[in-house]
Amino acid sequence: MNRRYRKTIIAGNWKMNKTASETKKFAEELKAVMPKAKWCEVVVCVPAVNIQTAIKAFKDMRVSVGAENLFYEKSGAYTGEVSGDMLKDLGVKYVIIGHSERRQYFGETDVTVNKKVHAALEAGLHPIICVGESLEQREMGITMELVALQVKAALSGVSAEKVRKCVIAYEPVWAIGTGKTATAEQAAEVCTLIRTTIRHLYGARIARSVTIQYGGSMKPANAAELLAQPDIDGGLIGGAALKSGEFVDIINAANQE
Ligand code: PGA
């Protein structure tokens, strides 16, 4: 991380876990162990139905609430979908876009990811844009080209002013929920490539201001080493973010002065 130029962000991605009552309980547990001063921003991205509960429960803890998805249209006949304005109106700050599970199970593509990035920015939300290669793609040796392409597609048509509001999360698909973490070197190599890609598109000043997270089995045991890499400015954390004790240990790893 490099706090001089950009924010460090530790974000939990709850996926389809926790009811509203469990959300309240988690907030109480976290409050009891949360460090007073924080050098990083803490975010919890929760299922859409838990957003209101989460906003209330985390309000006095300086924990921002994020959504896990949105639809790219502003309103209309899209049964079951949620718009950026609806999220913003509730007090949501961040929204995860293009998570590999959405690409894998819900047909999201680089094109829909780009539309959602525009919709989020238009609504005044900060998109957390997920990119990353599968195991097959890594073994084929195309990780760098693929991730650069995903970043370029996601940011297509996004202005320099708006790209500063975006967070990129590098999440190698083979490391998500598998217990297999990318080594700090593997993660750093791709996160540096992401910053280089942004530099080519928007210039050095903008590139150094963008927060780039690592995600994929980040846990207390490996967080400090990953966060010590200059181009890794935080984490997007699934499993370990569901337990207040583990989540706070990761926050503490990002909180070193
Ligand atoms: P994991 O999930 O930490 O459980 O691997 C990360 C993510 O999918 O964002």
Side-chain angles (χ1 to χ4, degrees):
M1 48 195 174
N2 186 335
R3 288 201 202 101
R4 190 158 152 224
Y5 294 118
R6 49 196 176 256
K7 227 189 255 183
T8 302
I9 304 175
I10 298 297
N13 171 15
W14 284 9
K15 311 192 180 187
M16 198 173 73
N17 290 296
K18 294 197 193 293
T19 60
S21 327
E22 288 164 348
T23 302
K24 266 192 225 161
K25 190 163 166 265
F26 178 90
E28 279 158 24
E29 286 169 11
L30 190 64
K31 198 171 187 171
V33 287
M34 185 70 112
K36 288 271 171 303
K38 295 198 290 287
W39 296 93
C40 62
E41 180 164 359
V42 178
V43 183
V44 286
C45 297
V46 304
V49 291
N50 293 343
I51 287 172
Q52 263 183 308
T53 306
I55 300 257
K56 226 167 120 188
F58 291 105
K59 198 168 69 195
D60 53 356
M61 292 168 63
R62 292 198 302 132
V63 171
S64 306
V65 173
E68 299 177 10
N69 182 32
L70 87 175
F71 190 50
Y72 51 74
E73 294 293 349
K74 273 187 93 62
S75 63
Y78 304 103
T79 303
E81 292 298 314
V82 172
S83 74
D85 288 345
M86 292 172 187
L87 297 174
K88 179 72 182 174
D89 189 59
L90 288 179
V92 166
K93 185 168 177 190
Y94 291 91
V95 57
I96 299 173
I97 294 178
H99 190 279
S100 66
E101 286 147 19
R102 297 219 50 95
R103 295 181 193 249
Q104 188 181 346
Y105 304 123
F106 302 98
E108 299 222 353
T109 63
D110 287 336
V111 174
T112 55
V113 167
N114 176 245
K115 287 185 179 183
K116 289 183 175 197
V117 169
H118 281 281
L121 290 167
E122 188 122 323
L125 299 165
H126 295 266
I128 299 176
I129 304 165
C130 301
V131 295
E133 81 289 0
S134 66
L135 186 59
E136 292 77 8
Q137 289 162 335
R138 175 159 283 268
E139 284 170 352
M140 278 184 227
I142 58 170
T143 298
M144 300 306 242
E145 290 93 329
L146 184 100
V147 171
L149 189 87
Q150 288 176 331
V151 171
K152 283 185 197 167
L155 297 178
S156 173
V158 174
S159 69
E161 203 37 60
K162 292 250 170 89
V163 83
R164 311 176 78 123
K165 299 187 163 53
C166 297
V167 174
I168 312 284
Y170 167 55
E171 298 209 309
V173 180
W174 48 272
I176 296 177
T178 57
K180 268 190 220 155
T181 323
T183 63
E185 294 72 36
Q186 283 172 324
E189 185 186 25
V190 183
C191 290
T192 299
L193 162 96
I194 292 171
R195 200 173 307 286
T196 307
T197 306
I198 298 172
R199 190 168 66 237
H200 289 155
L201 294 170
Y202 297 96
R205 203 167 49 86
I206 302 269
R208 75 174 182 221
S209 72
V210 174
T211 296
I212 300 175
Q213 298 174 315
Y214 168 79
S217 302
M218 193 188 253
K219 44 189 179 262
N222 58 29
E225 196 191 355
L226 287 159
L227 294 168
Q229 308 304 314
D231 281 315
I232 301 182
D233 311 307
L236 185 57
I237 301 126
L242 294 172
K243 296 184 200 113
S244 53
E246 289 189 24
F247 191 47
V248 89
D249 283 348
I250 298 175
I251 294 167
N252 285 330
N255 215 15
Q256 306 303 322
E257 276 182 64

